[in-house]
Amino acid sequence: MKVFKFGGASVNSADAVRNMAQIVQSHLESEALVVVVSAMGKTTNLLEKLVPGVLETGERRQELRRTLEDYHRGIASALMPDNMDVQRKMNALLAGLDHLCATLPTDAGHYNYNYDQVVSFGELLSTTIIADYLNSLGINTLWTDARQLIITDNHYREGRVDWDATAARLAALRQRFTGQIVLTQGFIGATPETSTTTLGREGSDYSAAILAYCLGAESVTIWKDVPGFLNADPKFFSDTVKIAQMPYNEAIELAYYGASVIHPKTVKPLQNKGIPLYIRSFLTPEAEGSVIGNHHTISPETPLYIFRDNQILLSIAPRDYSFIAEDNLQVIFGLLNDLGIRVNMMQNSALSFSICVDNQPHLVSRLVEQLKSMFRVRYNENLQLVTIRYYNQAVIDRIVAGRPILLEQRSRVTEQLIVPTV
Ligand code: ASP
Ligand code: MG
């Protein structure tokens, strides 16, 4: 059994869905294929604005709601002009969405819960259309509600998986399934009490890994718009190198430093069962792509770059000129933890403590406000945090390109530096 995952960009138009279906068709085997699909295109971003309480004006809401409907109906009717059944299924989904939007409580305390109830419709719509389309091509496809497969706690917007319950649901599915394809939604799950939850933005990769782990799948393939795992985001680099093979631990490290190719939680469950993760391009599906698995080193050996823009560097010094000591650090980390701010890099010196964080203005201003009673706080904005694995001096010089380095840390394989954004 294999698991395929298709992200939003791979199903963002009727042509994209046709291409996706062709890929699926060319991989049908005697064993069932489990296909995990995200919301179409940028639908999740749109749905985030429809969560009750987010938009003040009804007019903008209606406009977005219409865009959502027109977009999905357009794709469905381009793929299946005569299929009234799929339009009826969409009617039911859209009516369900409208009912929720009209009845959910709008107070801030319910935001996370509301978010999951509303945003999950992106994946429900995409899979409803795609399942009917695959069946119309004669591919025996079972549309399956991921909320009956992936069981989580009630930590809305970041549901934590109940692995035993999920494994039991999947074992039952496996027993009864005889078709060619199980098609299900990425990103969504449910509590044991059947409240919809989500696994965090871009969580469909993680869904694929959860299913693969619980089913003991042979492999997972993520179909993307890049030819594989590249040594840098092509947004930043024109001459990227494809990493054909990568050890699991390397992929985990890269996700930790901020590489966005795969969702950070995806690799660990696959590593635990030794299931290889393939990254391939839906634009050139015959090409080989990359594989993350039980390898000792990356191949080819080349420096790997991760860029994080929009960073802010805070330098924190005690007002009473005492050294920055454990008691001070405890206060600082307590505040960071309370505000849910993640530290991307930190450095301690005799008189101050520096932290680099994503510049989320509302959170950072609250942090600075609270620190000010005990500390002097200075900050630099518009910075870039660059992480280079397998660095050498020549590549560091190339990246720095004459910019002043505000902070630098080097270990045997990893160089990190903070420079002004160009
Ligand atoms: N549709 C969700 C998102 O855009 C999940 C995913 O694409 O992986 O975040
Ligand atoms: Mg998406």
Side-chain angles (χ1 to χ4, degrees):
M1 194 170 242
K2 291 179 182 164
V3 178
F4 278 8
K5 180 258 171 172
F6 290 91
S10 67
V11 291
N12 66 1
S13 66
D15 277 341
V17 175
R18 287 188 189 102
N19 177 61
M20 173 261 178
Q22 233 162 45
I23 293 173
V24 166
Q25 196 148 31
S26 65
H27 287 87
L28 293 178
E29 290 174 13
S30 51
E31 283 249 36
L33 192 60
V34 177
V35 179
V36 176
V37 182
S38 301
M40 292 174 159
K42 304 258 177 255
T43 299
T44 305
N45 296 354
L46 187 157
L47 283 164
E48 282 184 335
K49 302 204 183 82
L50 292 183
V51 177
V54 170
L55 283 182
E56 283 104 62
T57 68
E59 209 173 303
R60 180 85 183 114
R61 272 194 73 85
Q62 276 170 19
E63 191 185 311
L64 289 170
R65 167 64 180 75
R66 213 173 310 124
T67 305
L68 175 81
E69 176 161 355
D70 292 350
Y71 176 57
H72 288 89
R73 289 212 193 272
I75 291 175
S77 44
L79 293 170
M80 300 162 279
D82 306 319
N83 186 339
M84 287 305 115
D85 199 41
V86 72
Q87 297 292 343
R88 269 194 296 276
K89 288 178 192 159
M90 287 166 67
N91 292 346
L93 283 171
L94 291 165
L97 173 66
D98 290 341
H99 177 73
L100 275 173
C101 288
T103 54
L104 286 169
T106 55
D107 60 291
H110 281 93
Y111 176 72
N112 288 348
Y113 172 81
N114 291 349
Y115 181 99
D116 286 359
Q117 311 318 305
V118 168
V119 165
S120 48
F121 275 85
E123 272 70 11
L124 294 172
L125 283 164
S126 70
T127 52
T128 298
I129 297 169
I130 292 168
D132 268 27
Y133 180 58
L134 293 177
N135 277 312
S136 78
L137 299 178
I139 304 170
N140 181 347
T141 304
L142 177 72
W143 180 90
T144 311
D145 192 330
R147 296 171 298 184
Q148 289 172 12
L149 301 178
I150 295 185
I151 307 303
T152 72
D153 67 3
N154 62 358
H155 202 266
Y156 296 103
R157 297 188 65 196
E158 190 82 53
R160 282 173 293 222
V161 175
D162 180 335
W163 292 92
D164 291 338
T166 302
R169 299 291 180 97
L170 285 161
L173 173 71
R174 188 172 205 157
Q175 285 281 315
R176 68 168 202 269
F177 184 68
T178 52
Q180 291 174 291
I181 290 196
V182 173
L183 184 89
T184 195
Q185 305 79 37
F187 183 50
I188 73 175
T191 66
E193 299 79 30
T194 72
S195 283
T196 304
T197 54
T198 64
L199 304 171
R201 280 304 306 263
E202 308 302 329
S204 296
D205 294 349
Y206 185 41
S207 300
I210 296 165
L211 298 177
Y213 177 90
C214 292
L215 290 164
E218 185 186 322
S219 65
V220 173
T221 305
I222 297 182
W223 295 92
K224 290 188 70 82
D225 56 0
V226 286
F229 208 125
L230 303 178
N231 73 326
D233 186 330
K235 259 202 325 252
F236 293 97
F237 260 33
S238 52
D239 53 347
T240 51
V241 177
K242 189 187 82 186
I243 308 301
Q245 283 185 6
M246 182 177 283
Y248 292 114
N249 282 345
E250 183 68 42
I252 291 171
E253 295 257 11
L254 292 173
Y256 168 79
Y257 289 120
S260 56
V261 185
I262 41 174
H263 186 276
K265 288 184 182 166
T266 307
V267 178
K268 196 69 197 161
L270 301 178
Q271 179 179 30
N272 288 350
K273 284 218 174 154
I275 301 169
L277 172 61
Y278 295 95
I279 299 172
R280 298 176 65 174
S281 168
F282 61 78
L283 302 169
T284 52
E286 54 309 318
E288 273 215 11
S290 301
V291 56
I292 297 166
N294 273 323
H295 310 286
H296 291 292
T297 55
I298 59 164
S299 147
E301 288 190 27
T302 182
L304 308 172
Y305 305 87
I306 300 120
F307 297 88
R308 284 181 95 110
D309 274 334
N310 195 24
Q311 299 295 297
I312 182 164
L313 183 64
L314 301 170
S315 294
I316 305 163
R319 286 199 178 278
D320 60 4
Y321 296 97
S322 64
F323 291 140
I324 277 278
E326 283 71 9
D327 48 351
N328 287 324
L329 294 179
Q330 193 172 13
V331 172
I332 297 169
F333 279 104
L335 288 173
L336 289 164
N337 187 45
D338 291 346
L339 290 166
I341 298 177
R342 189 196 121 120
V343 177
N344 296 329
M345 186 173 165
M346 62 184 135
Q347 192 152 296
N348 198 9
S349 73
L351 290 174
S352 78
F353 181 62
S354 302
I355 55 170
C356 176
V357 301
D358 293 345
N359 194 0
Q360 303 160 274
H362 59 293
L363 288 180
V364 172
S365 58
R366 279 165 66 189
L367 174 68
V368 171
E369 204 49 49
Q370 297 186 34
L371 285 169
K372 271 190 174 155
S373 60
M374 282 180 71
F375 305 94
R376 275 183 301 117
V377 185
R378 284 176 304 154
Y379 56 87
N380 279 291
E381 291 177 282
N382 299 322
L383 303 177
Q384 185 176 58
L385 169 61
V386 187
T387 305
I388 312 174
R389 305 264 297 161
Y390 315 104
Y391 61 86
N392 59 53
Q393 196 53 49
V395 305
I396 294 174
D397 293 344
R398 175 183 165 197
I399 294 296
V400 171
R403 290 180 281 177
I405 299 174
L406 281 78
L407 207 62
E408 183 170 21
Q409 269 173 21
R410 188 172 289 193
S411 69
R412 200 171 47 80
V413 286
T414 309
E415 159 88 9
Q416 287 198 286
L417 37 90
I418 299 174
V419 287
T421 304
V422 270

